[in-house]
Amino acid sequence: MSELIRQIGQRIRNYRVQKGFSQERLAELSGCHPTYIGQIERGEKNATLESIEKISSALKIPLSTLFEKLEPQNASQSIPLQCYELLLAQSKEEQEQLFHILSSIIKYREEK
């Protein structure tokens, strides 16, 4: 499958985990089959826009959020985008902690 399909699936998984939902719970909330949710998350299925809209609604996130900052296919080594995806997979509390740690490191380096 294409890199875009994989990225969208990974992003859906990240938000699902962040919300504390199982694949079964997300399937129930979105009206999709649990197997379909798993296939989308693994990038095995090219989900319809209608399915992605149902999933984003179940996750209570704007549809546009799933498509923000998608990296071009030839930029898979982009460190800032990899950091974005890594942070996205964490809970809000963990995101705040990681931001604080990173800010502290940068501030420390600037003071040297």
Side-chain angles (χ1 to χ4, degrees):
M1 286 288 169
S2 79
E3 182 65 16
L4 177 63
I5 293 169
R6 187 199 64 74
Q7 288 176 2
I8 296 295
Q10 182 62 49
R11 203 163 274 185
I12 288 170
R13 181 188 181 285
N14 290 345
Y15 279 110
R16 176 182 62 76
V17 169
Q18 187 182 92
K19 301 275 185 179
F21 294 165
S22 65
Q23 286 181 346
E24 291 76 15
R25 180 66 178 145
L26 180 56
E28 180 183 308
L29 292 171
S30 66
C32 297
H33 194 278
T35 302
Y36 185 61
I37 297 292
Q39 291 170 328
I40 291 170
E41 288 184 359
R42 291 187 300 275
E44 297 170 356
K45 284 280 187 187
N46 187 2
T48 64
L49 190 54
E50 181 180 7
S51 296
I52 293 174
E53 191 277 327
K54 288 179 183 179
I55 292 168
S56 72
S57 179
L59 292 169
K60 295 187 179 0
I61 59 170
L63 181 60
S64 61
T65 301
L66 292 175
F67 295 94
E68 286 178 348
K69 297 179 179 61
L70 287 175
E71 57 187 89
Q73 287 187 334
N74 61 353
S76 62
Q77 298 303 315
S78 171
I79 299 300
L81 291 173
Q82 288 177 9
C83 290
Y84 175 78
E85 293 295 333
L86 181 65
L87 286 171
L88 187 61
Q90 310 307 310
S91 69
K92 292 292 182 193
E93 294 80 21
E94 291 168 326
Q95 288 175 6
E96 289 173 5
Q97 291 172 352
L98 289 167
F99 178 77
H100 178 72
I101 290 167
L102 185 57
S103 295
S104 297
I105 290 169
I106 291 171
K107 184 178 178 183
Y108 172 77
R109 288 185 60 209
E110 289 173 350
E111 291 175 354
K112 285 174 95 179

